[in-house]
Structures are given as structure tokens and as C-alpha cells.
Amino acid sequence: MANRHILRRGMTIGLSVTAMAIGSTAIAAPTKGTVSVLNWWTSGSEAKSMNILEQMLADQGYKMVNDAVSGGGGSNARTVLKSRIQSGNLPGVAQIKGPQIQQWCNTGLTMNIDPVAEKGNWNQVLPEAVSKYMKCDGHYVAVPFNIHRTNWLWINKSVLDKAGAQMPTDWDSLVAALKKIKQAGITPIAGGGNTWQVATELDAIALAAGGPDFYRKAFVDLDPDALSSDAMIKSLQHLRTIQQYTDPNAQGLSWNHDTGEVVQGEAGMQIMGDWAKGEITNADATPGKEIACIAFPGAYTGYSYQSDSFEMFAHSNSDKNAQYAFARTALSPEFQRKFNKAKGSIPVRQDVSLEGFDACAHKAKKDFITAKKNDALVPTFSQDMAETGAVKGAIFDVIAKFYNNKDMSAEDAAKEMAHRVQQAQAMS
Ligand code: GAL
């Protein structure tokens, strides 16, 4: 309910100040037009990736104002977006993912970009797993940039060697490797411990421990039996084990700081989506060489995916032609190659080649195709692809409670998750 309430309020207030936004807050257009872009890409590799778009738009005569709000995973940026709507200062474009695209569309504030999509053949070049999220009532309102995979484990190979540990292939061999790294006096897992990071860890663990069918029932269908099942209990127990191998003093550190620790050999591994790969490359290491990339190991294999996407707003502080140029350029083959190389993701366009991309990008693409064939492709819950804000909030609350209270059992946490999710659904 909270979520809808905010959206409805946002709609009323947003529309009532629309005239104001048009009249007074429009950014002066230096050349062909200006587009402001609210996003949360502030790490080194993220900012570099965004600069590519800014430059490509500048080359065409458009000005992109990069409104970046720090905070991995975007919760700060989402709060800023809501408050900007309340104050009638809508950005032309905002980073919004998954089912939330539809929620924003329901406010009536979004902009139809069908003319760009039709010209660019988006229905043909985008995978259906992604394009279905970009539309509202059959019309495109958002543009996707990439495909990221969440369930990766990044491993510093020289740390493994130093510790005399083997490359893990399943849960038991992972725990054996973590134990050896700890014995060698190195932090086994780099993990900042904020809820978004812990949820990202549980995301990968749950897919490996319970498999894609369980994952879908729990996090997409929100089935209470799956949410409180043995598979969920096992996943939470595995998270507790991972926590025991994580530096307790790292609390509050950012995900990109953690990636840096793995690259420097100060920590052995990180459980993180392949935006970590952007940081690895940015630090001049080679993903797939010094830093291995494997799907988080366990009883099952699968692929949890997400697509970073940007929704367009009408009556914003931006020029429509610049918003169109933003959408058109983002899906151009040239941008898709340059951006995704820097960002760590793979192109969302299916017709763009991976020539010159690193080994982990090639693995990501191959695994995406295999997972699609085997029905093992799941929208990732920790990165907003599976559920709406209120339900995600309930899941994240329980994860935080469990992580911060070592006396809470996995059984109790699973039960509470099922209960809180049901409550959140009833209220939204
Ligand atoms: C994710 C986003 C990624 C990444 C990460 C850390 O939600 O989709 O692109 O950059 O947050 O900020």
C-alpha cells in the first residue's frame, strides 16, 4: 500500500506541477536539446560507462546532464526520484528496472517512445525476457542497456594458490577453499554487509542451493510454501556460513571497494553480479585470468539476469528530441559494444558481436543461451527484476534481521519471510 500511495500521490502532485516544470525549470538547451538522467552509477567503471553515452550524445549535438546519486543497487536514487516527483522537478530519464517500470507507468507520468523503438526494430533485436519489461500497455516507455548476471563468484587465483586451495565446483568444495584461505590469514569473502550486498549474496546462493524452479516459486510467484521451504532454510544456512568467512570489520564498505580487495589479493572471493567485472577491468586486471569468474557453485546451475533500463518521463525538465536521442543511442550497436565492455555486462541487443570482450562476457552469453533453453533463466530478485518495491522491502528486512542477529535460526527467518511477503502483498 505504501508504494501505491506514494505513486498515487506522486501522480497528483507531479501533474499539478507539470506546468511549473515546463515553464520554469527547463534546462537551457545549448544546441539540439538537453536530457537529464537520474541514475546510481557512481563507481569508477559505472561513471566511465555513463561517460561513453554522454560523449556519444554530445557528438550528435545533445547535452546529457548526468544526475548520479551514489549508493550501489540504487535505493538512494529511487528515493531522490520520488522526492523530485513531489517537487515537480522530473528528470527526463530515470534508471528504473523490472516491474517498477510498470508501476511508474501507472502514474501517467511516463513518455511513449514507440517511434524510436519502431525505427530501431526493438521487437526484433531485444530478447523477450527483457523487452516485456520495457513496455506499458503495449507501448515502449523504457530503454534497456544491457544484460547483467547476478549469480557470479569472483575468485583471485593467486590467493587460492597461496592458500593451497582448489577452484570450487560445488558448495562443499567452496567451503573447503574458504577454510584454507582463512587459515592462510587472508579474508576469504569480501562483503560490505549492507542489506543490498547481503541480498545479492543470498540471491546467488538460493539459485545454486534450491534451483531455478524453487527460485521462481519463491521470489517471482511469492509462494509462501516455497518461501518457507527446506530449500529456503538451506539457502539461509549457507548465507550464515558465508557470513562466518566474511570480514566482520568490513561493515558499511561499498561493493566496489570489496571488488578492489579481491583484485589486490586482500580478500579471496566476492559474490557479486558482473558489474564487479567492470571494476576488475577498470583496475587493469583481466577477468577470467587473474580473477576467475564462475557461476556461484551448488547443487543447481541457473542464470539470474537483470537488465539496467531507463524510463522516460513526459513533461520533465528535458527536451523530447534529446530523450529520443538518448533512447536511440543507447541501443545503437556502437554504444552497446563500448558501454558493455566497460560496464561488465553483455549487450542486450542479440545481434551485436562479443568480439574483443573478455572470457567472462563470453561465458555469460553462452550460459544465458543455455539457461534459456533449459528454462533456468530467472529474473533476479535482489536487483528489482522479480517483484515490486513493497515486497522487495519485506524480503530485504528479513534478510537484514537474520544477518544482524546471529541467534536467529534459518527456520525462523524463512517462516518470517513467507509471512512478511504475504503481508506486503495484501497491503499493496
Ligand atoms: C545494480 C545495477 C548494476 C550495478 C549495481 C551496483 O542494481 O543494476 O548495473 O551497477 O547496481 O551499483
Side-chain angles (χ1 to χ4, degrees):
M1 181 150 87
N3 220 9
R4 265 212 199 141
H5 180 63
I6 289 168
L7 291 172
R8 273 202 221 106
R9 234 164 28 125
M11 175 166 76
T12 327
I13 298 172
L15 288 177
S16 66
V17 292
T18 287
M20 234 173 59
I22 297 167
S24 63
T25 58
I27 295 167
T31 45
K32 283 158 89 178
T34 297
V35 56
S36 73
V37 183
L38 184 68
N39 67 93
W40 62 85
W41 283 341
T42 54
S43 80
S45 63
E46 290 172 334
K48 209 178 194 174
S49 309
M50 221 25 172
N51 287 345
I52 296 170
L53 185 55
E54 195 173 332
Q55 188 56 54
M56 283 181 73
L57 285 168
D59 292 346
Q60 300 168 64
Y62 297 99
K63 181 167 172 54
M64 187 186 114
V65 177
N66 186 355
D67 270 347
V69 179
S70 70
S75 64
N76 297 342
R78 279 187 285 275
T79 307
V80 168
L81 177 60
K82 282 177 191 158
S83 71
R84 282 187 58 174
I85 290 205
Q86 314 271 331
S87 63
N89 182 20
L90 271 172
V93 181
Q95 187 173 5
I96 301 170
K97 276 189 281 190
Q100 290 179 27
I101 293 177
Q102 181 69 43
Q103 285 191 299
W104 280 107
C105 183
N106 292 343
T107 64
L109 294 170
T110 53
M111 187 173 102
N112 179 324
I113 48 170
D114 278 346
V116 182
E118 274 159 27
K119 246 196 175 156
N121 250 336
W122 289 11
N123 279 343
Q124 274 70 52
V125 299
L126 295 177
E128 213 258 323
V130 171
S131 63
K132 66 180 181 192
Y133 289 105
M134 305 299 133
K135 294 180 195 170
C136 177
D137 299 331
H139 301 287
Y140 278 100
V141 291
V143 57
F145 276 32
N146 59 5
I147 292 175
H148 265 310
R149 181 185 199 173
T150 301
N151 60 323
W152 285 111
L153 181 62
W154 306 94
I155 306 173
N156 183 313
K157 285 194 199 164
S158 61
V159 170
L160 270 196
D161 291 347
K162 229 185 259 169
Q166 302 298 312
M167 188 60 73
T169 52
D170 55 19
W171 173 253
D172 290 340
S173 58
L174 171 61
V175 177
L178 294 174
K179 200 170 171 186
K180 285 211 159 160
I181 296 171
K182 194 170 182 176
Q183 281 162 358
I186 304 170
T187 302
I189 297 273
N194 76 45
T195 306
W196 171 76
Q197 282 166 279
V198 177
T200 304
E201 294 181 339
L202 181 66
D203 199 316
I205 292 169
L207 185 54
D213 287 343
F214 152 71
Y215 186 104
R216 235 174 267 140
K217 272 188 207 136
F219 297 114
V220 182
D221 303 341
L222 306 174
D223 171 1
D225 292 339
L227 283 162
S228 56
S229 65
D230 289 348
M232 183 64 82
I233 293 168
K234 192 175 191 180
S235 306
L236 288 159
Q237 285 164 344
H238 286 186
L239 177 64
R240 187 67 90 210
T241 304
I242 290 295
Q243 185 177 16
Q244 282 153 9
Y245 288 103
T246 307
D247 179 4
N249 301 320
Q251 197 78 17
L253 296 175
S254 66
W255 66 272
N256 44 310
H257 175 277
D258 295 342
T259 310
E261 283 194 345
V262 175
V263 173
Q264 299 307 324
E266 290 157 10
M269 308 185 191
Q270 184 184 21
I271 305 165
M272 193 43 69
D274 43 19
W275 42 96
K277 185 156 74 69
E279 291 300 304
I280 294 168
T281 313
N282 204 29
D284 289 331
T286 311
K289 279 197 177 157
E290 304 98 292
I291 310 297
C293 52
I294 62 170
F296 187 85
Y300 295 89
T301 44
Y303 193 116
S304 54
Y305 77 99
Q306 61 130 328
S307 180
D308 284 307
S309 44
F310 288 78
E311 193 157 5
M312 307 284 157
F313 288 98
H315 310 300
S316 69
N317 64 6
S318 301
D319 299 302
K320 188 172 172 182
N321 61 343
Q323 289 169 289
Y324 275 11
F326 177 95
R328 196 174 49 238
T329 309
L331 270 187
S332 67
E334 187 193 346
F335 176 74
Q336 285 285 304
R337 283 180 52 78
K338 285 187 180 161
F339 169 86
N340 284 297
K341 259 183 169 176
K343 183 71 174 67
S345 37
I346 55 174
V348 66
R349 278 187 77 116
Q350 300 298 280
D351 56 349
V352 166
S353 113
L354 284 190
E355 210 191 313
F357 278 64
D358 60 61
C360 300
H362 283 275
K363 178 171 168 49
K365 175 90 185 202
K366 194 168 147 253
D367 289 358
F368 183 82
I369 294 166
T370 309
K372 202 163 140 196
K373 228 184 277 158
N374 298 340
D375 203 19
L377 202 57
V378 297
T380 179
F381 87 83
S382 62
Q383 313 300 316
D384 304 301
M385 289 296 286
E387 68 290 313
T388 56
V391 170
K392 178 188 157 187
I395 295 174
F396 273 39
D397 280 354
V398 177
I399 293 172
K401 190 168 166 188
F402 175 70
Y403 201 81
N404 295 327
N405 177 3
K406 294 205 176 111
D407 293 333
M408 187 177 196
S409 70
E411 285 81 359
D412 284 350
K415 239 186 262 158
E416 190 161 332
M417 199 181 287
H419 176 63
R420 287 288 312 276
V421 166
Q422 267 185 315
Q423 258 182 354
Q425 278 180 296
M427 287 168 69
S428 49

